Amino acid sequence: MPELPEMELYRLELSKHFIGKPITGVEINREKSVNMPVPQFTSALERKKIIGIRRRAKYLIFDLSSGDHLLLHLMLGGWMFIGSDRVSPDRTKQVILSFGEKKLFFINLRLGYLHLVTPDELDKKLAVLGPEPFDPKFQLTDFQERLSKKRGVLKSILIDPKFIAGIGNCYSDEICFEARLRPTKKAADLTDHKIQSLFNAIKPTLSRALQIGGYMDYPLYVNDTKTGCYNDHFLVYECENLPCKRCGTLIERTDISKRKSFFCPSCQD
């Protein structure tokens, strides 16, 4: 599932192509991917401009000139592609938005969705989310206070969108590695020093992943050489039985609440 770095990369790239552009066509090939009857959804979008693209947690928000918003969650397996009638992946597209000759394809939205929402509906949907890791207001004191109320293990806490927004299965492991803490470590057992180490690992880990290109498996456009490059830079995630890049010990895997998790048994406490 795309996490904060992947969705932020999408936001940056899509903004270059579609902000200020009117939607000239809407094609829905899977009614369950949208939240209202297809004719109503289509009518509400056609001739409206994209005036902004934002990210909140793992959501993308397309601000429309009508005052409403498109709320996208790709969930597991969903992805996007910028192309045209002549250039597009040979995959089923659940939703296609046209901007003249240029098209934005939403692919593999079997679990994901693209919903048209009002400002009030959007606020209600996002109100339950925790702070953004890159928000300047998110400081160590806030993190300490939030963590003090938790009794579970770090993996489960970090992937909880109500605790902190945008972190999932992959980057929770990468953050724990950077902090030299096992994802199975209980929050209640952390010293102040270890809490600070965990906090200090969050922004650099996510920033590094964003700069490298995230771990999405599919390119966003033809000749896209950046998207997905983080697959070659994992520190522990999906690295079972490979040597730790810090100490050489073989990386191990464990399951936490039915989620796979990876760590170094030597240099993570």
Side-chain angles (χ1 to χ4, degrees), residues 6-21 50 52-54 60-62 72 74 79-83 99 102-106 220-221:
E6 290 73 39
M7 298 309 290
E8 183 66 12
L9 185 62
Y10 273 147
R11 182 192 70 80
L12 292 169
E13 291 296 329
L14 295 180
S15 295
K16 298 175 185 177
H17 292 268
F18 300 115
I19 287 182
K21 301 296 177 63
I50 304 289
I53 302 176
R54 296 178 281 148
L60 273 193
I61 303 154
F62 298 82
L72 171 70
L74 292 173
W79 53 292
M80 290 180 283
F81 188 85
I82 302 169
F99 300 82
K102 188 175 292 185
K103 295 180 182 291
L104 179 58
F105 300 102
F106 297 84
L220 181 57
Y221 48 84

Side-chain angles (χ1 to χ4, degrees), residues 27 35 46 49 54 65 88 91 93 104 107 109 115 147 151 154 168 172 185 188 194 235 241 252 267:
E27 181 180 335
N35 61 328
E46 286 182 337
K49 286 185 178 180
R54 296 178 281 148
S65 56
S88 72
R91 302 289 292 271
K93 294 91 173 175
L104 179 58
I107 302 166
L109 289 184
H115 286 179
L147 199 60
R151 293 294 179 267
L154 295 184
S172 57
K185 191 82 169 180
K194 289 179 178 179
L235 299 176
N241 293 325
E252 294 184 5
C267 64

Side-chain angles (χ1 to χ4, degrees), residues 238-257:
E238 296 286 11
C239 294
E240 184 180 11
N241 293 325
L242 294 177
C244 172
K245 295 179 180 180
R246 192 159 51 202
C247 73
T249 305
L250 296 184
I251 300 299
E252 294 184 5
R253 170 182 169 167
T254 188
D255 290 338
I256 302 173
S257 300

